[in-house]
Amino acid sequence: MAIREQVQAALGTLPGAEKKVAHAFLANYPSIGLSTIAELAALAGTSAPTVLRFVSRLGFDSYPEFQRVLRKDVQAQLMSPLERARSSAPAADNPALKASFSVISANLEATLKAITESEFEAACELLSDHKSTCYFLGGRFTDTIAAYMAAHLRIIRPNVRHFSGQTSTWRDQLLDVRPGDVAVLFDIRRYQADLVRLGELMVERKARILLITDPWLSPIARSARVVLPCVVDANRTWDSSVTLLALAEALIDRVSRAQSSSARTRMQTLEDIHWNNPPQR
């Protein structure tokens, strides 16, 4: 796991003072982790020994080792597809299809470990709140998954919308966002600036953010109500979106089961619309 993901996973078990360090680190990631021990301690309102205990609890022998791994995390986060293509080498002794599926399988297992059941259930609660409108949007490659998820949930619950059109129209669509509404945002490395800004505007309008991202976490995570990190690194030119789609389908299934009665009613109504009003030829 990336360091940021490790810190998030450890939050529930940290003593009070070390939890302050964790919160300071997450709120000012990655810059504060690359500063001095004294600066991190001052920002967290703790002491240098507390910072060292925090680092040790994460499994690092020293603060320099912690920073070295953090730098590698940041470099991996910023790598372009071209850089990943140059740095990855195909396994000569492993058929391409088998190798690809092996990586995908490992990513699914790692994602399952990275997302707690409590966070998954919290996400499902947001998606099941019929009193709120639920908005969906993703980045350049992930918006297709956002649209896929919205298309399914629109059938089983009311008030589901997918942000559409050019980015210049997104702010127009913010006009209808009300306090308590839910925004499901997909954002993986290299994070999309206009999507990050939209997330900030959503928060300003008091919407609740459900972020589906990667282990390095989109900047949207700073203000998200629920964050679900998926492992996407496939050791190849392009990151894999399989875990994102698998998570989307798991959320759709869980919400469908939780809303079984109302979902069946809506689905039956939709069936009646389709079969009682066949397309004209």
Side-chain angles (χ1 to χ4, degrees):
M1 291 191 291
I3 287 182
R4 189 169 184 175
E5 190 180 356
Q6 287 180 257
V7 173
Q8 285 193 312
L11 269 176
T13 61
L14 294 175
E18 291 176 38
K19 186 172 291 188
K20 290 182 179 180
V21 178
H23 283 307
F25 172 76
L26 292 173
N28 298 275
Y29 175 90
S31 58
I32 193 60
L34 299 173
S35 65
T36 66
I37 293 177
E39 288 172 321
L40 177 52
L43 183 64
T46 59
S47 64
T50 299
V51 172
L52 291 175
R53 286 195 297 272
F54 165 75
V55 167
S56 176
R57 197 178 297 274
L58 294 177
F60 298 100
D61 294 330
S62 66
Y63 194 69
E65 182 193 0
F66 167 81
Q67 291 187 315
R68 178 180 60 78
V69 175
L70 178 58
R71 288 190 188 94
K72 288 180 64 177
D73 283 353
V74 174
Q75 289 168 356
Q77 172 184 321
L78 298 176
M79 283 180 70
S80 69
L82 180 59
E83 289 171 318
R84 289 199 289 276
R86 289 170 177 164
S87 64
S88 61
D93 60 341
N94 201 357
L97 179 61
K98 184 176 180 181
S100 181
F101 272 54
S102 177
V103 170
I104 289 171
S105 177
N107 283 357
L108 288 168
E109 287 294 329
T111 299
L112 192 58
K113 293 178 181 177
I115 298 175
T116 65
E117 284 291 340
S118 60
E119 283 295 279
F120 180 78
E121 289 297 329
C124 293
E125 287 182 19
L126 289 178
L127 296 172
S128 300
D129 183 2
H130 289 194
K131 296 178 182 178
S132 65
T133 300
C134 196
Y135 295 87
F136 288 82
L137 185 63
R140 180 182 178 187
F141 295 113
T142 56
D143 192 49
T144 54
I145 302 175
Y148 174 85
M149 192 172 177
H152 280 80
L153 289 180
R154 189 178 294 122
I155 296 172
I156 61 176
R157 57 151 289 176
N159 304 319
V160 174
R161 299 183 184 180
H162 175 243
F163 269 76
S164 59
Q166 300 179 357
T167 56
S168 59
T169 71
W170 289 356
R171 298 192 183 195
D172 300 343
Q173 296 172 68
L174 282 170
L175 284 170
D176 295 326
V177 176
R178 298 288 180 264
D181 283 349
V182 176
V184 181
L185 303 179
F186 289 76
D187 192 28
I188 63 174
R189 67 178 183 180
R190 295 177 291 172
Y191 310 114
Q192 195 166 311
D194 50 5
L195 185 57
V196 172
R197 179 55 183 152
L198 182 76
E200 294 171 347
L201 293 172
M202 281 281 195
V203 172
E204 288 178 11
R205 297 186 71 82
K206 295 182 171 54
R208 297 170 290 172
I209 306 295
L210 164 55
L211 173 65
I212 298 176
T213 184
D214 53 31
W216 303 280
L217 303 188
S218 161
I220 299 171
R222 289 194 292 264
S223 51
R225 181 70 63 89
V226 178
V227 178
L228 302 179
C230 296
V231 178
V232 299
D233 188 1
N235 193 30
R236 61 191 184 195
T237 304
W238 306 102
D239 281 334
S240 171
S241 296
V242 173
T243 53
L244 303 173
L245 180 58
L247 176 61
E249 292 199 338
L251 290 166
I252 292 167
D253 180 63
R254 180 71 180 87
V255 174
S256 298
R257 293 174 184 275
Q259 307 288 315
S260 59
S261 178
S262 58
R264 282 197 299 269
T265 300
R266 287 178 64 86
M267 292 171 71
Q268 183 59 59
T269 301
L270 184 60
E271 286 292 306
D272 293 340
I273 291 172
H274 278 294
W275 289 105
N276 294 335
N277 298 277
Q280 300 296 318
R281 295 185 179 184

